[in-house]
Coordinates of all heavy atoms in Angstrom, one line a residue:
M1 N 114.4 61.7 132.7 CA 113.1 62.4 132.7 C 112.9 63.1 131.3 O 111.9 63.0 130.7 CB 113.1 63.4 133.8 CG 111.8 64.0 134.1 SD 110.5 62.8 134.5 CE 109.0 63.8 134.4
K2 N 113.9 63.8 130.9 CA 113.8 64.6 129.7 C 113.6 63.7 128.5 O 112.7 63.9 127.6 CB 115.1 65.4 129.4 CG 114.9 66.8 129.9 CD 115.7 67.8 129.0 CE 115.1 69.1 129.1 NZ 116.0 70.2 128.8
K3 N 114.3 62.6 128.5 CA 114.3 61.6 127.4 C 112.9 61.0 127.2 O 112.3 60.9 126.1 CB 115.3 60.5 127.5 CG 116.5 60.7 126.6 CD 117.2 59.4 126.4 CE 118.1 59.5 125.2 NZ 119.3 58.8 125.3
K4 N 112.3 60.7 128.3 CA 111.0 60.1 128.4 C 109.9 61.1 127.7 O 109.1 60.7 126.9 CB 110.5 59.8 129.8 CG 109.6 58.6 129.9 CD 109.4 58.3 131.4 CE 108.4 57.2 131.5 NZ 108.1 57.0 133.0
N5 N 110.0 62.3 128.1 CA 109.1 63.3 127.5 C 109.3 63.4 126.0 O 108.3 63.4 125.2 CB 109.4 64.7 128.1 CG 108.6 64.9 129.4 OD1 107.7 64.1 129.6 ND2 109.1 65.8 130.2
A6 N 110.5 63.4 125.5 CA 110.7 63.4 124.1 C 110.0 62.3 123.4 O 109.4 62.4 122.3 CB 112.2 63.4 123.8
W7 N 110.1 61.1 124.0 CA 109.4 59.9 123.4 C 107.9 60.2 123.3 O 107.2 59.9 122.3 CB 109.7 58.7 124.3 CG 110.7 57.9 123.6 CD1 112.0 57.7 124.1 CD2 110.6 57.1 122.4 NE1 112.7 56.9 123.2 CE2 111.9 56.5 122.2 CE3 109.6 56.8 121.6 CZ2 112.1 55.7 121.1 CZ3 109.8 56.0 120.5 CH2 111.1 55.5 120.2
L8 N 107.4 60.7 124.4 CA 105.9 61.0 124.4 C 105.5 61.9 123.3 O 104.5 61.7 122.6 CB 105.5 61.6 125.8 CG 105.3 60.5 126.9 CD1 104.9 61.2 128.2 CD2 104.2 59.5 126.5
Y9 N 106.3 63.0 123.1 CA 106.0 63.9 122.1 C 106.1 63.3 120.7 O 105.2 63.5 119.9 CB 107.0 65.1 122.1 CG 106.7 66.1 123.2 CD1 107.6 66.5 124.1 CD2 105.4 66.7 123.2 CE1 107.2 67.4 125.1 CE2 105.0 67.6 124.1 CZ 106.0 68.0 125.1 OH 105.6 68.9 126.1
N10 N 107.1 62.4 120.5 CA 107.2 61.7 119.2 C 105.9 60.8 119.0 O 105.4 60.9 117.9 CB 108.4 60.8 119.2 CG 109.7 61.6 118.9 OD1 109.6 62.7 118.3 ND2 110.8 61.2 119.3
I11 N 105.5 60.1 120.0 CA 104.4 59.2 119.8 C 103.1 60.1 119.5 O 102.4 59.8 118.6 CB 104.2 58.3 121.0 CG1 105.3 57.3 121.1 CG2 102.8 57.6 121.0 CD1 105.4 56.6 122.4
A12 N 103.0 61.2 120.3 CA 101.8 62.0 120.1 C 101.8 62.6 118.6 O 100.8 62.6 118.0 CB 101.8 63.2 121.1
F13 N 103.0 63.0 118.2 CA 103.1 63.5 116.8 C 102.7 62.5 115.8 O 101.9 62.8 114.9 CB 104.6 63.9 116.6 CG 104.8 64.5 115.3 CD1 104.4 65.8 114.9 CD2 105.5 63.7 114.3 CE1 104.6 66.3 113.7 CE2 105.7 64.2 113.0 CZ 105.3 65.5 112.7
V14 N 103.2 61.3 115.9 CA 102.8 60.2 115.0 C 101.3 60.0 115.0 O 100.7 59.8 113.9 CB 103.6 58.9 115.3 CG1 103.1 57.8 114.5 CG2 105.1 59.1 115.0
V15 N 100.7 59.9 116.2 CA 99.3 59.7 116.3 C 98.5 60.8 115.6 O 97.6 60.5 114.8 CB 98.9 59.5 117.7 CG1 97.4 59.5 117.9 CG2 99.4 58.2 118.3
I16 N 98.9 62.0 115.8 CA 98.2 63.1 115.2 C 98.3 63.1 113.7 O 97.3 63.2 113.0 CB 98.7 64.5 115.8 CG1 98.2 64.6 117.3 CG2 98.1 65.6 115.0 CD1 98.9 65.7 118.0
V17 N 99.5 62.9 113.2 CA 99.7 62.9 111.8 C 98.9 61.8 111.1 O 98.2 61.9 110.1 CB 101.2 62.8 111.4 CG1 101.4 62.5 109.9 CG2 101.9 64.1 111.8
G18 N 99.0 60.6 111.8 CA 98.2 59.5 111.3 C 96.7 59.8 111.2 O 96.1 59.5 110.3
G19 N 96.2 60.5 112.3 CA 94.8 60.8 112.3 C 94.5 61.7 111.1 O 93.4 61.6 110.5
I20 N 95.3 62.7 110.9 CA 95.0 63.6 109.8 C 95.0 62.9 108.4 O 94.1 63.1 107.6 CB 96.1 64.8 109.7 CG1 95.9 65.7 111.0 CG2 96.0 65.6 108.5 CD1 97.0 66.7 111.2
V21 N 96.0 62.0 108.2 CA 96.1 61.3 107.0 C 94.8 60.4 106.8 O 94.2 60.5 105.7 CB 97.3 60.3 107.0 CG1 97.2 59.3 105.8 CG2 98.6 61.2 106.8
I22 N 94.4 59.8 107.9 CA 93.2 58.9 107.7 C 91.9 59.8 107.4 O 91.1 59.5 106.6 CB 92.9 58.1 109.0 CG1 94.0 57.0 109.1 CG2 91.6 57.5 109.1 CD1 94.1 56.4 110.5
F23 N 91.9 61.0 108.1 CA 90.8 61.9 107.9 C 90.7 62.3 106.4 O 89.7 62.3 105.8 CB 90.9 63.1 108.8 CG 89.9 64.2 108.6 CD1 88.6 64.0 109.0 CD2 90.2 65.3 107.8 CE1 87.7 65.0 108.8 CE2 89.2 66.3 107.6 CZ 88.0 66.1 108.1
L24 N 91.8 62.7 105.8 CA 91.8 63.1 104.5 C 91.5 62.0 103.5 O 90.8 62.2 102.5 CB 93.2 63.7 104.1 CG 93.5 65.1 104.8 CD1 94.9 65.5 104.4 CD2 92.5 66.1 104.4
W25 N 92.0 60.8 103.9 CA 91.8 59.6 103.1 C 90.3 59.4 102.9 O 89.8 59.0 101.9 CB 92.4 58.4 103.7 CG 92.7 57.3 102.8 CD1 92.0 56.2 102.6 CD2 93.9 57.2 101.9 NE1 92.6 55.4 101.6 CE2 93.8 56.1 101.2 CE3 95.0 58.1 101.7 CZ2 94.7 55.6 100.3 CZ3 95.9 57.6 100.8 CH2 95.8 56.5 100.1
N26 N 89.5 59.6 104.0 CA 88.1 59.3 104.0 C 87.2 60.4 103.5 O 86.0 60.3 103.4 CB 87.7 58.9 105.5 CG 88.2 57.5 105.9 OD1 88.4 56.7 105.0 ND2 88.4 57.3 107.2
A27 N 87.8 61.6 103.3 CA 87.0 62.7 102.9 C 86.3 62.3 101.6 O 86.7 61.6 100.7 CB 88.0 63.9 102.6
P28 N 85.0 62.8 101.5 CA 84.2 62.4 100.4 C 84.8 63.0 99.1 O 85.5 64.1 99.1 CB 82.9 63.1 100.6 CG 83.2 64.2 101.6 CD 84.4 63.8 102.4
P29 N 84.6 62.4 98.0 CA 85.1 62.9 96.7 C 84.4 64.2 96.3 O 83.3 64.4 96.8 CB 84.8 61.8 95.7 CG 83.7 61.0 96.3 CD 83.9 61.1 97.8
E30 N 85.0 65.0 95.6 CA 84.4 66.3 95.1 C 83.2 66.0 94.3 O 83.2 65.2 93.4 CB 85.4 67.0 94.3 CG 85.3 68.5 94.5 CD 86.3 69.2 93.6 OE1 87.5 68.8 93.6 OE2 86.0 70.2 93.0
T31 N 82.0 66.5 94.7 CA 80.8 66.2 94.0 C 80.2 67.3 93.2 O 79.3 67.1 92.5 CB 79.7 65.7 95.0 OG1 79.7 66.7 96.0 CG2 80.1 64.4 95.7
T32 N 80.7 68.5 93.4 CA 80.1 69.6 92.7 C 80.3 69.4 91.2 O 81.3 69.0 90.7 CB 80.9 70.9 93.0 OG1 80.9 71.0 94.5 CG2 80.1 72.1 92.5
A33 N 79.2 69.7 90.5 CA 79.2 69.5 89.0 C 80.2 70.3 88.3 O 80.4 71.5 88.7 CB 77.8 69.8 88.5
R34 N 80.9 69.8 87.4 CA 81.9 70.6 86.6 C 81.1 71.4 85.6 O 80.0 71.0 85.2 CB 82.9 69.7 86.0 CG 83.8 69.0 87.0 CD 84.8 68.1 86.3 NE 85.9 68.0 87.3 CZ 87.1 68.6 87.1 NH1 87.4 69.2 86.0 NH2 88.0 68.5 88.0
V35 N 81.8 72.4 85.1 CA 81.2 73.2 84.0 C 81.3 72.2 82.8 O 82.4 71.8 82.5 CB 82.0 74.5 83.8 CG1 81.4 75.2 82.6 CG2 81.9 75.3 85.0
P36 N 80.2 72.0 82.1 CA 80.3 71.0 81.0 C 81.1 71.6 79.9 O 81.2 72.8 79.6 CB 78.8 70.9 80.5 CG 78.0 71.8 81.3 CD 78.9 72.5 82.3
K37 N 81.8 70.7 79.1 CA 82.7 71.1 78.0 C 81.9 71.0 76.8 O 82.0 70.0 76.0 CB 83.9 70.3 78.0 CG 85.0 70.9 77.1 CD 86.3 70.2 77.3 CE 87.3 70.8 76.3 NZ 88.5 71.3 76.9
D38 N 80.9 71.9 76.5 CA 80.1 71.9 75.3 C 80.2 73.2 74.6 O 80.9 74.1 75.0 CB 78.7 71.5 75.7 CG 78.1 72.4 76.7 OD1 78.7 73.5 77.0 OD2 77.1 72.1 77.4
E39 N 79.5 73.4 73.5 CA 79.5 74.6 72.8 C 79.2 75.8 73.6 O 79.8 76.9 73.5 CB 78.6 74.6 71.6 CG 78.9 73.7 70.4 CD 77.9 72.7 70.2 OE1 76.8 73.0 69.8 OE2 78.2 71.5 70.4
I40 N 78.2 75.7 74.5 CA 77.8 76.8 75.3 C 79.0 77.3 76.2 O 79.3 78.5 76.3 CB 76.6 76.5 76.2 CG1 75.4 76.0 75.3 CG2 76.2 77.6 77.1 CD1 74.3 75.4 76.2
H41 N 79.6 76.3 76.9 CA 80.6 76.7 77.9 C 82.0 76.7 77.4 O 82.9 77.2 78.1 CB 80.5 75.7 79.1 CG 79.1 75.8 79.7 ND1 78.1 75.0 79.3 CD2 78.6 76.5 80.7 CE1 77.0 75.2 80.0 NE2 77.3 76.1 80.9
Q42 N 82.2 76.2 76.2 CA 83.6 76.1 75.7 C 84.3 77.5 75.7 O 85.4 77.6 76.1 CB 83.5 75.6 74.2 CG 84.9 75.4 73.6 CD 85.5 74.1 74.1 OE1 85.0 73.0 73.9 NE2 86.6 74.2 74.7
R43 N 83.5 78.5 75.4 CA 84.2 79.8 75.2 C 84.6 80.4 76.6 O 85.4 81.4 76.6 CB 83.3 80.8 74.5 CG 82.0 81.1 75.2 CD 81.0 81.8 74.2 NE 79.8 82.2 74.9 CZ 79.5 83.4 75.4 NH1 80.4 84.3 75.2 NH2 78.4 83.6 76.0
F44 N 84.1 79.9 77.6 CA 84.6 80.4 79.0 C 85.9 79.8 79.4 O 86.5 80.3 80.4 CB 83.5 80.1 80.0 CG 82.2 80.8 79.7 CD1 81.0 80.0 79.5 CD2 82.1 82.1 79.5 CE1 79.8 80.6 79.1 CE2 80.9 82.7 79.1 CZ 79.7 82.0 79.0
F45 N 86.3 78.6 78.8 CA 87.4 77.9 79.3 C 88.7 78.7 79.3 O 89.5 78.7 80.2 CB 87.6 76.6 78.6 CG 86.6 75.5 79.1 CD1 85.3 75.7 79.1 CD2 87.1 74.4 79.7 CE1 84.4 74.8 79.6 CE2 86.2 73.4 80.2 CZ 84.9 73.6 80.1
P46 N 89.0 79.4 78.1 CA 90.3 80.1 78.1 C 90.2 81.5 78.9 O 91.3 82.1 79.1 CB 90.5 80.4 76.6 CG 89.2 80.1 75.9 CD 88.3 79.5 76.9
M47 N 89.1 81.9 79.3 CA 89.0 83.2 79.9 C 89.6 83.2 81.4 O 89.6 82.2 82.0 CB 87.5 83.7 80.1 CG 86.9 84.1 78.8 SD 85.3 84.7 79.2 CE 84.6 84.7 77.5
K48 N 89.9 84.4 81.9 CA 90.2 84.5 83.3 C 88.9 84.2 84.1 O 87.8 84.6 83.6 CB 90.7 85.9 83.6 CG 92.1 86.2 83.1 CD 92.8 87.2 84.1 CE 94.2 87.4 83.6 NZ 94.2 88.5 82.7
K49 N 89.0 83.7 85.2 CA 87.8 83.3 86.0 C 86.9 84.4 86.2 O 85.7 84.3 85.9 CB 88.2 82.7 87.4 CG 88.8 81.3 87.3 CD 88.9 80.7 88.7 CE 89.5 79.3 88.5 NZ 89.7 78.7 89.8
K50 N 87.4 85.6 86.6 CA 86.5 86.7 86.9 C 85.8 87.2 85.7 O 84.7 87.6 85.7 CB 87.4 87.9 87.5 CG 87.5 87.8 89.0 CD 87.7 89.2 89.6 CE 87.4 89.2 91.1 NZ 88.3 90.0 91.9
E51 N 86.5 87.1 84.6 CA 86.0 87.5 83.3 C 84.8 86.6 82.9 O 83.7 87.1 82.6 CB 87.1 87.4 82.3 CG 87.0 88.3 81.0 CD 86.4 89.6 81.2 OE1 86.9 90.4 82.0 OE2 85.4 90.0 80.4
A52 N 85.0 85.3 83.0 CA 84.0 84.3 82.6 C 82.8 84.4 83.5 O 81.7 84.3 83.0 CB 84.6 82.9 82.7
E53 N 83.0 84.6 84.8 CA 81.8 84.6 85.7 C 80.8 85.7 85.4 O 79.7 85.5 85.8 CB 82.3 84.7 87.1 CG 82.9 83.3 87.6 CD 83.9 83.5 88.8 OE1 84.2 84.7 89.1 OE2 84.2 82.5 89.4
K54 N 81.2 86.7 84.8 CA 80.3 87.8 84.5 C 79.1 87.3 83.6 O 78.1 87.8 83.6 CB 81.0 88.9 83.8 CG 81.8 89.8 84.7 CD 82.4 91.0 83.9 CE 83.6 91.5 84.6 NZ 84.6 92.0 83.6
H55 N 79.4 86.2 82.8 CA 78.4 85.7 81.8 C 77.5 84.7 82.4 O 76.4 84.5 81.8 CB 79.2 85.2 80.6 CG 80.1 86.2 80.0 ND1 79.7 87.2 79.1 CD2 81.5 86.3 80.1 CE1 80.8 87.9 78.8 NE2 81.9 87.4 79.4
C56 N 77.9 84.0 83.4 CA 77.1 82.8 83.8 C 75.7 83.1 84.1 O 74.8 82.4 83.7 CB 77.7 82.2 85.1 SG 79.5 82.0 85.1
E57 N 75.4 84.3 84.8 CA 74.1 84.5 85.2 C 73.1 85.0 84.1 O 72.0 85.2 84.4 CB 74.1 85.5 86.4 CG 74.6 84.8 87.7 CD 74.4 85.7 88.9 OE1 73.4 85.6 89.5 OE2 75.4 86.4 89.2
K58 N 73.7 85.2 82.9 CA 72.8 85.5 81.8 C 71.8 84.3 81.6 O 70.7 84.5 81.2 CB 73.6 85.8 80.6 CG 74.1 87.2 80.5 CD 74.9 87.5 79.2 CE 75.9 88.5 79.4 NZ 77.1 88.4 78.6
C59 N 72.3 83.1 81.8 CA 71.5 81.9 81.6 C 71.1 81.3 82.9 O 70.0 80.8 83.0 CB 72.2 80.9 80.7 SG 72.8 81.5 79.2
H60 N 72.0 81.3 83.8 CA 71.8 80.6 85.1 C 71.2 81.7 86.1 O 71.9 82.2 86.9 CB 73.0 80.0 85.7 CG 73.6 78.9 84.8 ND1 73.0 77.7 84.7 CD2 74.7 78.9 84.0 CE1 73.7 77.0 83.9 NE2 74.7 77.7 83.4
N61 N 69.9 82.0 85.9 CA 69.3 82.9 86.9 C 67.8 82.4 87.0 O 67.4 81.6 86.1 CB 69.3 84.3 86.4 CG 68.6 84.6 85.1 OD1 67.4 84.4 85.1 ND2 69.3 84.9 84.1
P62 N 67.1 82.8 88.0 CA 65.7 82.2 88.2 C 64.8 82.3 87.1 O 64.0 81.4 86.9 CB 65.2 83.1 89.4 CG 66.4 83.6 90.1 CD 67.5 83.8 89.0
E63 N 64.9 83.3 86.2 CA 64.0 83.3 85.0 C 64.7 82.7 83.8 O 64.1 82.7 82.7 CB 63.6 84.7 84.7 CG 62.6 85.3 85.7 CD 63.2 85.9 86.9 OE1 64.2 86.6 86.8 OE2 62.8 85.6 88.0
G64 N 66.0 82.4 83.9 CA 66.8 82.0 82.7 C 66.5 80.6 82.3 O 65.6 79.9 82.7
D65 N 67.4 80.1 81.4 CA 67.2 78.7 80.8 C 67.5 77.7 81.8 O 66.8 76.7 81.9 CB 68.3 78.5 79.7 CG 68.2 79.6 78.6 OD1 67.1 80.2 78.5 OD2 69.2 79.9 78.0
V66 N 68.5 77.9 82.6 CA 68.9 76.8 83.6 C 69.1 77.5 85.0 O 70.2 77.9 85.3 CB 70.3 76.2 83.2 CG1 70.6 75.0 84.1 CG2 70.2 75.8 81.7
P67 N 68.0 77.6 85.7 CA 68.1 78.2 87.0 C 68.9 77.4 87.9 O 69.0 76.2 87.8 CB 66.6 78.3 87.5 CG 65.9 77.3 86.7 CD 66.6 77.1 85.4
L68 N 69.5 78.0 88.9 CA 70.3 77.3 89.9 C 69.3 76.5 90.7 O 68.2 76.9 91.0 CB 71.1 78.3 90.8 CG 72.0 79.2 90.1 CD1 72.8 80.1 91.1 CD2 73.0 78.4 89.2
P69 N 69.7 75.3 91.2 CA 68.8 74.5 92.0 C 68.5 75.1 93.3 O 69.3 76.0 93.8 CB 69.6 73.2 92.2 CG 71.0 73.5 91.9 CD 71.0 74.7 90.9
E70 N 67.4 74.7 93.9 CA 67.1 75.3 95.2 C 68.1 74.9 96.2 O 68.7 73.9 96.2 CB 65.7 74.8 95.6 CG 64.7 75.9 95.6 CD 63.4 75.5 96.1 OE1 63.3 75.3 97.3 OE2 62.5 75.3 95.3
G71 N 68.3 75.9 97.1 CA 69.3 75.6 98.2 C 70.8 75.7 97.6 O 71.7 75.2 98.2
H72 N 70.9 76.3 96.5 CA 72.3 76.5 95.9 C 73.1 77.4 96.9 O 72.5 78.4 97.3 CB 72.2 77.1 94.5 CG 73.5 77.1 93.8 ND1 74.4 78.1 94.0 CD2 74.1 76.2 93.0 CE1 75.5 77.9 93.2 NE2 75.3 76.7 92.6
P73 N 74.3 77.1 97.1 CA 75.1 77.9 98.0 C 75.3 79.3 97.4 O 75.0 79.5 96.2 CB 76.4 77.1 98.1 CG 76.5 76.1 97.0 CD 75.0 75.9 96.7
P74 N 75.9 80.2 98.2 CA 76.1 81.6 97.7 C 76.7 81.6 96.4 O 77.6 80.8 96.1 CB 77.1 82.2 98.8 CG 77.0 81.3 100.0 CD 76.4 80.0 99.6
K75 N 76.3 82.4 95.5 CA 76.6 82.2 94.1 C 77.6 83.1 93.5 O 77.9 83.0 92.3 CB 75.3 82.3 93.2 CG 74.6 83.6 93.4 CD 73.3 83.6 92.7 CE 72.7 84.9 92.9 NZ 71.8 85.5 92.2
Y76 N 78.3 84.0 94.2 CA 79.4 84.7 93.6 C 80.5 83.7 93.4 O 80.7 82.8 94.1 CB 79.8 85.9 94.5 CG 80.0 85.5 95.9 CD1 81.1 85.0 96.4 CD2 78.9 85.6 96.8 CE1 81.3 84.6 97.7 CE2 79.0 85.3 98.1 CZ 80.2 84.8 98.6 OH 80.4 84.4 99.9
R77 N 81.3 84.0 92.4 CA 82.5 83.2 92.1 C 82.2 81.8 91.7 O 82.7 80.8 92.4 CB 83.6 83.3 93.2 CG 83.9 84.6 93.7 CD 84.5 85.6 92.7 NE 85.3 85.0 91.6 CZ 86.6 85.0 91.5 NH1 87.3 85.5 92.5 NH2 87.2 84.5 90.5
C78 N 81.4 81.6 90.7 CA 80.9 80.3 90.3 C 82.1 79.3 90.1 O 82.0 78.1 90.5 CB 80.3 80.3 88.9 SG 79.2 81.7 88.7
L79 N 83.2 79.8 89.6 CA 84.2 78.9 89.1 C 85.1 78.4 90.2 O 86.0 77.5 90.0 CB 85.1 79.5 88.0 CG 84.2 79.9 86.8 CD1 85.1 80.6 85.8 CD2 83.6 78.6 86.2
F80 N 85.0 78.9 91.4 CA 85.7 78.4 92.6 C 85.2 77.0 92.9 O 85.9 76.1 93.3 CB 85.6 79.3 93.8 CG 86.7 80.3 93.9 CD1 86.4 81.6 94.3 CD2 88.0 80.0 93.4 CE1 87.4 82.5 94.4 CE2 89.0 81.0 93.5 CZ 88.7 82.3 94.0
C81 N 83.9 76.8 92.7 CA 83.3 75.5 93.0 C 83.1 74.7 91.8 O 83.3 73.5 91.8 CB 81.9 75.8 93.7 SG 82.0 76.8 95.2
H82 N 82.6 75.3 90.7 CA 82.4 74.5 89.5 C 83.7 74.5 88.6 O 83.9 75.5 88.0 CB 81.2 75.0 88.7 CG 79.9 75.0 89.5 ND1 79.2 73.8 89.7 CD2 79.2 75.9 90.2 CE1 78.2 74.0 90.4 NE2 78.1 75.3 90.8
K83 N 84.4 73.5 88.7 CA 85.7 73.5 88.0 C 85.5 73.3 86.5 O 84.5 72.6 86.1 CB 86.6 72.3 88.6 CG 86.9 72.4 90.0 CD 88.2 73.1 90.3 CE 88.4 73.7 91.7 NZ 88.0 72.8 92.7
R84 N 86.4 73.8 85.8 CA 86.3 73.7 84.3 C 87.0 72.4 83.9 O 87.9 71.9 84.6 CB 86.8 74.9 83.6 CG 85.9 76.1 83.8 CD 86.5 77.3 83.1 NE 87.6 77.9 83.9 CZ 88.1 79.1 83.7 NH1 87.6 79.8 82.8 NH2 89.1 79.5 84.4
Ligands
LIG1 C1 74.4 80.8 77.0 C2 73.7 80.4 78.2 C3 74.7 79.9 79.3 C4 75.8 80.5 79.9 C5 76.3 81.9 79.6 C6 76.3 79.6 80.9 N1 75.6 78.4 80.9 FE1 75.9 76.9 82.2 N2 74.5 75.8 81.2 C7 73.6 76.3 80.2 C8 72.8 75.2 79.7 C9 71.7 75.3 78.6 C10 73.1 74.0 80.5 C11 72.5 72.6 80.5 C12 73.0 71.9 79.2 C13 74.5 71.7 79.3 O1 74.9 70.8 80.0 O2 75.2 72.3 78.6 C14 74.2 74.4 81.4 C15 74.8 73.6 82.4 C16 75.7 74.0 83.3 C17 76.2 73.2 84.4 C18 76.0 71.7 84.6 C19 74.6 71.5 85.2 C20 74.4 70.0 85.3 O3 73.3 69.6 85.4 O4 75.4 69.3 85.4 C21 77.1 74.0 85.1 C22 77.9 73.6 86.4 C23 77.1 75.3 84.5 N3 76.2 75.3 83.4 C24 77.9 76.3 85.0 C25 78.1 77.5 84.3 C26 79.0 78.5 84.6 C27 80.0 78.4 85.8 C28 78.9 79.5 83.7 C29 79.8 80.8 83.6 C30 81.2 80.5 83.3 C31 77.9 79.2 82.7 N4 77.4 77.9 83.1 C32 77.4 79.9 81.7 C33 73.6 77.6 79.7 C34 74.6 78.5 80.0
LIG2 C1 80.1 77.8 97.2 C2 80.2 76.9 96.0 C3 79.4 77.2 94.7 C4 79.4 78.4 94.0 C5 80.1 79.7 94.3 C6 78.5 78.2 92.9 N1 78.0 76.9 93.0 FE1 76.7 76.1 91.7 N2 76.5 74.4 92.8 C7 77.3 74.2 94.0 C8 76.8 72.9 94.6 C9 77.4 72.3 95.9 C10 75.7 72.4 93.8 C11 74.9 71.2 94.0 C12 75.6 69.9 93.8 C13 75.7 69.6 92.4 O1 74.6 69.2 91.8 O2 76.7 69.6 91.8 C14 75.6 73.4 92.6 C15 74.8 73.2 91.6 C16 74.7 74.0 90.4 C17 74.0 73.7 89.2 C18 73.1 72.5 88.9 C19 74.0 71.4 88.7 C20 73.2 70.1 88.5 O3 73.9 69.0 88.5 O4 72.0 70.2 88.5 C21 74.3 74.8 88.3 C22 73.7 75.0 86.9 C23 75.1 75.7 89.0 N3 75.4 75.2 90.3 C24 75.6 76.9 88.5 C25 76.3 77.9 89.2 C26 76.6 79.2 88.7 C27 76.2 79.7 87.3 C28 77.3 79.9 89.7 C29 77.7 81.3 89.7 C30 76.6 82.3 89.5 C31 77.5 78.9 90.8 N4 76.9 77.7 90.4 C32 78.2 79.2 92.0 C33 78.3 75.0 94.5 C34 78.5 76.3 94.1

């Protein structure tokens, strides 16, 4: 009786792990735009994230040069989503 249960647990474990692997395998690729590596953004690369983020909204604001697109997610901590 005990041995049978152990087998069931093993099989359940394999099935669950397999499911997780397949799920991660099929996850969509990261699509968020990266921070471009150009003259404008170059100077933010060596900075600490929190330091750099203070500057983003000087240009990326509704009246600025490059407003955030409509429906943009919550905008604090830009660099968590937009990788450098
Ligand atoms: C001096 C003004 C300025 C500052 C400051 C600035 N940006 Fe930009 N950003 C631009 C301009 C202009 C563009 C569009 C041209 C280009 O690709 O460089 C742009 C483009 C981008 C893009 C790509 C948009 C696309 O269409 O792919 C991302 C992402 C971005 N900026 C994020 C950031 C982040 C994060 C910060 C803060 C670390 C930041 N920017 C600071 C001016 C600025
Ligand atoms: C919660 C995650 C998240 C945060 C935080 C965030 N963004 Fe975004 N951003 C996105 C997504 C998702 C998109 C739309 C998909 C895309 O175009 O890459 C986007 C789009 C943009 C675009 C336009 C990109 C394009 O290709 O047209 C710019 C510019 C941008 N974000 C700048 C910023 C700035 C500046 C900040 C900080 C003030 C910021 N983002 C914070 C997730 C985020």
Side-chain angles (χ1 to χ4, degrees):
M1 191 60 192
K2 264 214 154 151
K3 254 204 166 144
K4 211 171 175 189
N5 274 342
W7 261 107
L8 279 178
Y9 280 124
N10 278 336
I11 290 168
F13 180 76
V14 169
V15 168
I16 289 168
V17 170
I20 291 171
V21 168
I22 289 167
F23 175 75
L24 291 177
W25 203 264
N26 288 332
E30 215 180 315
T31 51
T32 310
R34 292 183 155 248
V35 179
K37 196 170 175 123
D38 53 17
E39 286 120 66
I40 302 170
H41 299 88
Q42 186 76 61
R43 64 196 183 97
F44 301 119
F45 281 60
M47 284 186 198
K48 287 214 178 86
K49 284 190 179 176
K50 271 205 161 145
E51 202 40 51
E53 281 159 351
K54 286 185 201 143
H55 304 279
C56 310
E57 283 187 90
K58 278 181 207 150
C59 305
H60 297 286
N61 67 63
E63 285 85 44
D65 306 334
V66 187
L68 303 182
E70 249 186 73
H72 188 276
K75 59 186 178 160
Y76 47 85
R77 309 302 328 260
C78 319
L79 297 176
F80 271 141
C81 303
H82 297 284
K83 300 265 159 48
R84 290 180 284 193

